[in-house]
Each structure stands twice: as structure tokens, then as C-alpha cells.
């Protein structure tokens, strides 16, 4: 996990980093040298003779890193092999060149233009504090823990139910207890296993943070800046009900799988991960309509609502309403899971189709 996390972090950092432009820029008809002066700090710039233009353009198929800029009557003609990221970066410098030319026409100096384009001087005071980076990191931590719990639930439910079904053990169990009791026990047991794993990994990450701050020379108490106790207290009950909901769904899917090696329904066991990852959209704008919807929708609210609470202001009525919807959703899903299990666990041979599963749900 540490190796994978490090690879993702440094790989993403490398992928998003700015690379040095590899193109060679040739300039034609830059009489006053303004364009060359703007480009020379970021690109390799050379002057091109007028009689060499046609030869240069024909040679772009071989010299793919070469770019020609020909200034004609206030318009810049650009010739290149293809449009790429370096060309897009070059265009931003061409915009600067255009601004300077227009500024010269108006008789403005570079200092005057910089003054006009400078941002307004403001002194900001907010009643609600801004979304600090520490709270944002905490919200990402919440989402990561939910993904961990979902993966563990997926593994346990898939192994336990399909394995017992193949060994015909469950048929003996359901002869002694009701399918609802069996299903509730399965859901609750695996959920508590997932929650205990979340708590264990949380403590390990906190310990790792303490060790990290020791090596960097920072105070151990720095870790407390990342731990917002109200957000953590809110996350635990939401996470508990959220994992219960997904375990009910996963148990229902697993109960209709006869052979896990050949079943097309096995891929649905990864469905919860999609909804948990969707919760990351909350961090972009926690007060947008999409974020509010994600914090109310029962398949995403277990992660989205604690994340919103950590980085913005959320009303108590929203917290209570979202949590009640979660509880109601779990109650209905556990009933549906038991109905599907009651019939499908006794079926052998061909797996039930989705239309047959729907009939199982409607049975009384």
C-alpha cells in the first residue's frame, strides 16, 4: 500500500509538472525584435531569412520540433508539424506580444499596462473561515477510508457468500434460522470488520504522521491541526451506515452468483467504488448544487456529507435529513437482500436473470 501510494503521488506529480519545451522557434519579419525578446527566456529562438520560408515549411515533416512564426501586418502566421502542449504554451507568449504591440500603439509604457492589469487591492474578512488545506486533507482521508472499507467488504462478502453457496453450507444454516437473520448477521459482521479496519488504519496513519513530523523537525502536536474532532465524530456514524448499505447491496449480488469464476455479475461487486470516488467532486465546490445532491443521495452521502462538513458550513437540518435517509435506505436494502437471498441460495445450475431477481424482490 505504501509503494502504491508513493507511486500514485510521485507519478501524478510528474504527470502534472511543467516540462521544458522541446520546440525550436524560428522568427520571420520580427523587425524590432520584440517577439524574440519575449520568447528567448522560454524557447530556443532563431531568426529565419525570408528566402528560406518555403524550404522550412517543406522540411517540417522531418524537423518536427521546428516552429515558424511569420509576422505579417499585425498577424502572426504559425507553421508547425502538429498542435501540442508546447504550441499551446507558445501561444500564451504570443498573447503577451500582442498586448505589448497594442500598448505601444496607445502610447502606454510597460509599467502603466502592469498597473492597469494588476488585481484590486482588497482586505478580506469572512464570518465563516476559508477551507483550509488541513480540512481538505481530512476530507480526502475520509474518502480514502471509505474506499478501504468498501474493498474489504467486497472481498469478505464475495468470498464468504459464494464460497458457502458452493459448499452447500448455507442450506443447512437457513433451515435453522430465517434468511433475514442470516443476512443481517452477515451484513453486520462484515461491516464491523470493515469499520475496525478503518479505525486501525487511521491510527497507523496518525502514528505515521507523528513520525513524519519528528523527522522534519516539526512539533508532534502539528498532527492535531489535521484532526478536526467534530468532523471525525460525524464521519463515524455516517461511515457505519454507509458501509452497512453497501454490504447489503454486495450481499444481495453475491447471493445470486453461482460460480464466481464465470459469472458476469462479479464485476458489479466493484460498483460501490464508483460512488465513493464520485464524492471527491465535493472538494471542488462544497456549496454547489451537485455537492448538495451528493450529500443527500444515499449511495454517496455517507462519504460526501462528512466531507462537506469538514470543508464548509452545513446546516443541522441537512445532517439529520441526510442521516435519516441513510437509515431508511439501509432498512429497505436489508429487506431486499434477504428476499433475494431466500430464493437464490436454493437455486443450483443456471444463475437467475435480472428479471428473475426482480421477481424475488416482489415475493412476500
Amino acid at each position: 500500500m505504501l509503494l502504491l501510494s508513493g507511486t500514485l503521488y510521485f507519478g501524478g506529480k510528474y504527470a502534472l509538472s511543467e516540462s521544458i519545451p522541446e520546440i525550436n522557434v524560428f522568427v520571420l519579419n520580427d523587425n524590432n525584435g520584440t517577439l524574440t525578446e519575449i520568447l528567448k527566456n522560454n524557447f530556443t529562438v532563431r531568426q529565419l531569412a525570408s528566402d528560406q520560408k518555403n524550404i522550412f515549411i517543406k522540411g517540417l515533416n522531418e524537423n518536427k520540433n521546428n516552429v515558424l512564426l511569420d509576422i505579417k501586418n499585425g498577424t502572426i502566421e504559425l507553421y508547425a508539424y502538429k498542435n501540442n502542449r508546447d504550441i499551446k504554451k507558445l501561444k500564451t507568449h504570443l498573447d503577451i506580444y500582442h498586448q505589448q504591440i497594442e500598448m505601444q500603439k496607445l502610447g502606454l509604457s510597460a509599467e502603466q499596462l502592469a498597473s492597469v492589469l494588476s488585481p484590486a487591492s482588497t482586505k478580506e474578512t469572512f464570518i465563516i473561515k476559508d477551507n483550509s488545506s488541513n480540512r481538505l486533507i481530512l476530507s480526502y482521508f475520509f474518502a480514502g477510508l471509505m474506499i478501504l472499507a468498501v474493498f474489504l467488504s467486497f472481498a469478505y462478502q464475495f468470498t464468504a457468500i459464494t464460497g458457502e453457496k458452493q459448499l452447500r453450507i448455507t442450506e443447512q444454516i437457513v433451515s435453522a434460522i430465517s434468511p433475514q437473520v442470516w443476512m443481517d448477521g452477515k451484513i453486520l459482521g462484515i461491516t464491523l470488520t470493515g469499520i475496525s479496519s478503518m479505525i486501525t488504519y487511521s491510527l497507523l496513519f496518525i502514528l505515521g504522521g507523528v513520525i513524519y513530523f519528528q523527522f522534519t523537525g516539526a512539533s508532534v502536536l502539528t498532527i492535531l491541526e489535521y484532526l478536526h474532532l467534530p468532523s471525525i465524530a460525524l464521519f463515524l456514524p455516517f461511515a457505519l451506515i454507509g458501509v452497512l448499505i453497501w454490504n447489503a447491496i454486495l450481499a444481495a449480488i453475491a447471493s445470486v452468483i453461482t460460480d464466481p469464476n464465470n459469472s458476469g455479475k462479479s464485476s458489479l461487486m466493484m460498483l460501490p467504488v464508483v460512488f465513493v470516488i464520485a464524492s471527491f467532486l465535493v472538494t471542488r465546490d462544497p456549496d454547489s448544487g451537485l455537492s448538495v445532491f451528493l450529500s443527500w443521495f444515499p449511495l454517496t452521502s455517507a462519504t460526501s456529507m462528512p466531507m462537506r462538513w469538514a470543508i464548509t458550513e452545513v446546516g443541522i437540518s441537512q445532517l439529520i435529513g441526510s442521516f435519516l435517509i441513510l437509515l431508511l435506505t439501509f432498512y429497505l436494502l436489508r429487506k431486499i437482500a434477504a428476499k433475494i437471498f431466500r430464493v437464490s441460495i436454493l437455486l443450483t445450475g443456471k444463475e437467475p436473470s435480472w428479471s428473475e431477481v426482480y421477481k424475488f424482490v416482489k415475493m412476500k
Side-chain angles (χ1 to χ4, degrees):
M1 290 181 64
L2 290 174
L3 179 62
L4 178 61
S5 300
T7 302
L8 291 175
Y9 173 76
F10 290 107
K13 192 173 182 180
Y14 172 77
L16 297 175
S17 62
E18 290 290 337
S19 60
I20 300 174
E22 298 179 353
I23 58 176
N24 302 312
V25 181
F26 290 80
V27 178
L28 185 62
N29 297 323
D30 185 22
N31 298 326
N32 56 6
T34 303
L35 181 57
T36 302
E37 187 68 24
I38 293 173
L39 298 177
K40 69 178 183 180
N41 293 329
N42 297 278
F43 302 90
T44 302
V45 185
R46 302 171 187 172
Q47 297 293 326
L48 185 70
S50 300
D51 57 353
Q52 296 294 315
K53 178 179 178 180
N54 293 331
I55 299 175
F56 182 92
I57 295 174
K58 292 179 180 179
L60 287 176
N61 288 325
E62 297 180 359
N63 302 312
K64 299 178 180 179
N65 290 334
N66 290 348
V67 177
L68 174 61
L69 299 176
D70 186 6
I71 305 174
K72 285 186 177 181
N73 301 322
T75 302
I76 302 176
E77 296 181 356
L78 188 150
Y79 300 89
Y81 180 72
K82 67 176 182 179
N83 191 11
N84 53 31
R85 185 168 63 176
D86 290 340
I87 297 297
K88 294 177 181 178
K89 186 174 182 180
L90 175 62
K91 290 179 180 179
T92 62
H93 291 81
L94 297 183
D95 292 337
I96 297 175
Y97 168 76
H98 173 72
Q99 292 175 358
Q100 290 200 12
I101 295 299
E102 294 299 318
M103 174 185 65
Q104 293 173 4
K105 292 180 181 179
L106 296 174
L108 296 175
S109 63
E111 292 76 11
Q112 289 173 325
L113 180 63
S115 177
V116 172
L117 298 179
S118 62
S121 177
T122 59
K123 182 179 180 181
E124 300 176 346
T125 302
F126 300 103
I127 303 300
I128 303 298
K129 299 297 182 181
D130 63 346
N131 302 333
S132 66
S133 59
N134 294 350
R135 294 285 187 86
L136 193 60
I137 292 174
L138 182 62
S139 67
Y140 284 130
F141 187 64
F142 288 160
L145 289 178
M146 282 297 295
I147 293 176
L148 173 65
V150 167
F151 269 114
L152 288 173
S153 300
F154 159 72
Y156 285 125
Q157 291 283 19
F158 189 76
T159 303
I161 296 179
T162 57
E164 292 173 0
K165 187 176 180 180
Q166 286 183 309
L167 296 174
R168 319 308 299 174
I169 297 174
T170 311
E171 294 179 2
Q172 302 176 23
I173 298 176
V174 296
S175 64
I177 60 176
S178 67
Q180 186 67 67
V181 173
W182 187 96
M183 182 61 70
D184 288 344
K186 215 69 170 176
I187 294 172
L188 182 60
I190 293 178
T191 296
L192 293 180
T193 301
I195 294 295
S196 64
S197 298
M198 289 173 59
I199 295 174
T200 301
Y201 278 104
S202 298
L203 295 176
L204 289 175
F205 276 117
I206 292 173
L207 179 61
V210 171
I211 296 174
Y212 170 78
F213 288 125
Q214 284 286 334
F215 278 107
T216 57
S219 172
V220 177
L221 298 178
T222 307
I223 194 68
L224 298 178
E225 298 177 5
Y226 294 86
L227 303 178
H228 186 237
L229 294 182
S231 297
I232 296 173
L234 178 73
F235 172 71
L236 290 176
F238 270 86
L240 175 62
I241 305 302
V243 177
L244 283 170
I245 286 176
W246 283 117
N247 271 310
I249 296 174
L250 293 172
I253 296 174
S255 64
V256 300
I257 297 175
T258 301
D259 185 0
N261 297 317
N262 301 312
S263 176
K265 299 182 178 67
S266 300
S267 58
L268 291 175
M269 301 291 282
M270 298 297 294
L271 184 64
V273 180
V274 177
F275 288 91
V276 176
I277 293 178
S279 301
F280 282 96
L281 297 173
V282 171
T283 59
R284 299 187 63 184
D285 185 1
D287 297 315
S288 66
L290 176 61
S291 297
V292 173
F293 169 77
L294 291 175
S295 64
W296 279 86
F297 185 58
L299 298 184
T300 56
S301 60
T303 307
S304 299
M305 183 57 80
M307 291 177 71
R308 283 191 65 214
W309 171 267
I311 57 181
T312 191
E313 184 183 31
V314 179
I316 299 298
S317 60
Q318 293 189 44
L319 294 176
I320 296 175
S322 177
F323 190 73
L324 291 177
I325 292 176
L326 271 178
L327 289 174
L328 178 61
T329 302
F330 168 64
Y331 177 79
L332 295 175
L333 287 176
R334 62 178 280 272
K335 291 288 187 181
I336 293 173
K339 287 183 177 181
I340 295 174
F341 166 76
R342 182 183 63 182
V343 180
S344 62
I345 200 66
L346 302 175
L347 296 178
T348 57
K350 180 179 176 294
E351 290 184 355
S353 63
W354 291 117
S355 60
E356 292 173 332
V357 172
Y358 177 70
K359 293 178 181 178
F360 299 163
V361 176
K362 294 181 65 177
M363 288 182 180
K364 294 184 179 180

